Amino acid sequence: MSEMRLVVAGAAGRMGRVLIQVIHETPGATLAGAIEQADSIAIGQDAGLLAGCGQTGVEITGDALSAIAGADGILDFTSPEVSVELSVLAAQARIVHVIGTTGFTAAQLVGFEAAARHAVVVRSGNMSLGVNLLAALVEKVAGTLGSEYDIEIVEMHHRMKADAPSGTALLLGEAAAKGRGVSLDQHAARARDGRTGPRRAGDIGFASLRGGTVVGDHKVIFAGPGERIELSHAAEDRSIFARGAVQAALWGKSRKPGLYSMVDVLGLAD
Ligand SMILES: NC(=O)C1=CN([C@@H]2O[C@H](COP(=O)(O)OP(=O)(O)OC[C@H]3O[C@@H](n4cnc5c(N)ncnc54)[C@H](OP(=O)(O)O)[C@@H]3O)[C@@H](O)[C@H]2O)C=CC1
Ligand SMILES: O=C(O)C1=N[C@H](C(=O)O)C[C@H](O)C1
């Protein structure tokens, strides 16, 4: 079977460079394009040299349309606005769009449903196997414990992270809400400050810490009467996300158009 031709968007970013390395190491995948914003100093550089895996002959470009031409899929870890634009191009080209970007508004998320009528879209706030397994455990524990166990989600990331709570924290919050049979939108406590009064019964709380070079730490706490259960995940290396994203693209190549998540890719659906 022919190799899957993949384009990396945000090629000079923290995730973009790791994605290029992982594509380089993955049988069945080949780097076909690398996109950055038009005024980036990375434009014109060889994507492989920038990522530290040797010359690839693929130059980083600001022209997304030409990069996508002839490709089978795009791996997109950029910003919400850029991912929305790329979803239109990917849908027009009928190529697999793997979206790792986080921090979307509800309206932006609805837009991906329209794109998924024409192309395979795989979106997840966390592409790692470990976090998606953790989410399954959180759903189970939340469904087992009664409402006397308060659910709090704590995350810590590097100082450059642009959004909070993290996409992973929200994914874990959705899993907890699903386990409890409630809507996260109606029960999320995303920030607390000042004279808040007692905790609202049934809330799922979020706390975000930022500092240093932390790749991504998440903890889900079930605080009950006289005991606490804590489930956690620590990302030590961004390659866990990049490997998941490349796996998602390869998986998506033979699927029908639709909106999928890593739960589908990893076969974790109930
Ligand atoms: N789902 C998951 O498993 C994971 C998700 N993420 C998410 O991925 C996203 C990116 O994270 P990270 O790599 O750390 O961030 P970076 O800021 O390091 O990378 C984003 C890159 O996208 C570039 N960019 C900006 N505009 C465009 C454009 N129009 N076309 C192409 N590229 C563009 C940026 O350039 P410039 O700097 O010049 O603006 C930057 O190089 C975040 O939303 C993060 O939360 C991260 C890790 C795992
Ligand atoms: O911005 C990051 O770095 C990360 N973003 C994702 C998130 O928002 O959860 C995934 C991972 O935790 C790293």
Side-chain angles (χ1 to χ4, degrees):
M1 207 151 74
S2 62
E3 300 229 303
M4 186 169 190
R5 294 171 52 77
L6 295 173
V7 172
V8 173
R14 279 175 290 275
M15 276 304 298
R17 282 171 285 155
V18 183
L19 286 161
I20 290 164
Q21 290 166 12
V22 169
I23 291 170
H24 185 67
E25 294 161 3
T26 305
T30 190
L31 184 70
I35 314 170
E36 259 299 328
Q37 63 169 320
D39 62 358
S40 166
I41 54 166
I43 300 294
Q45 291 189 46
D46 184 275
L49 288 180
L50 188 75
C53 55
Q55 188 126 19
T56 54
V58 174
E59 273 191 10
I60 298 180
T61 175
D63 182 356
L65 204 54
S66 70
I68 283 175
D72 304 307
I74 178 162
L75 307 180
D76 168 13
F77 289 67
T78 55
S79 67
E81 297 70 25
V82 174
S83 292
V84 167
E85 284 173 22
L86 290 175
S87 78
V88 175
L89 298 183
Q92 282 166 356
R94 307 289 196 262
I95 64 172
V96 179
H97 188 190
V98 177
I99 305 173
T101 307
T102 57
F104 295 107
T105 62
Q108 286 170 329
L109 289 177
V110 170
F112 296 134
E113 288 169 21
R117 286 201 284 273
H118 308 285
V120 172
V121 180
V122 184
R123 189 187 73 80
S124 177
N126 196 303
M127 300 274 171
S128 77
L129 171 63
V131 158
N132 285 280
L133 281 174
L134 175 66
L137 294 175
V138 167
E139 182 181 334
K140 173 86 180 150
V141 175
T144 304
L145 297 173
S147 59
E148 69 277 22
Y149 284 78
D150 297 325
I151 304 177
E152 293 284 311
I153 301 174
V154 184
E155 52 105 342
M156 181 160 187
H157 283 84
H158 54 94
R159 63 165 70 97
M160 300 306 291
K161 183 156 179 63
D163 55 310
S166 68
T168 308
L170 293 170
L171 179 161
L172 294 170
E174 289 287 359
K178 190 172 171 204
R180 275 201 165 163
V182 299
S183 141
L184 182 62
D185 285 348
Q186 285 167 20
H187 291 275
R190 291 174 63 136
R192 297 189 184 106
D193 186 26
R195 195 172 157 74
T196 59
R199 188 180 198 281
R200 203 172 60 136
D203 270 357
I204 296 174
F206 293 87
S208 299
L209 314 182
R210 295 287 176 266
T213 56
V214 178
V215 175
D217 288 352
H218 292 88
K219 182 156 69 178
V220 182
I221 304 166
F222 297 85
E227 66 175 353
R228 224 164 47 244
I229 300 159
E230 301 185 347
L231 302 177
S232 66
H233 179 269
E236 295 172 355
D237 190 306
R238 288 187 173 83
S239 62
I240 61 171
F241 313 127
R243 284 200 301 271
V246 173
Q247 184 182 351
L250 294 169
W251 176 91
K253 195 179 172 192
S254 54
R255 305 286 144 178
K256 291 193 183 121
L259 187 52
Y260 301 95
S261 75
M262 284 307 283
V263 170
D264 303 305
V265 174
L266 297 169
L268 298 175
D270 336 305

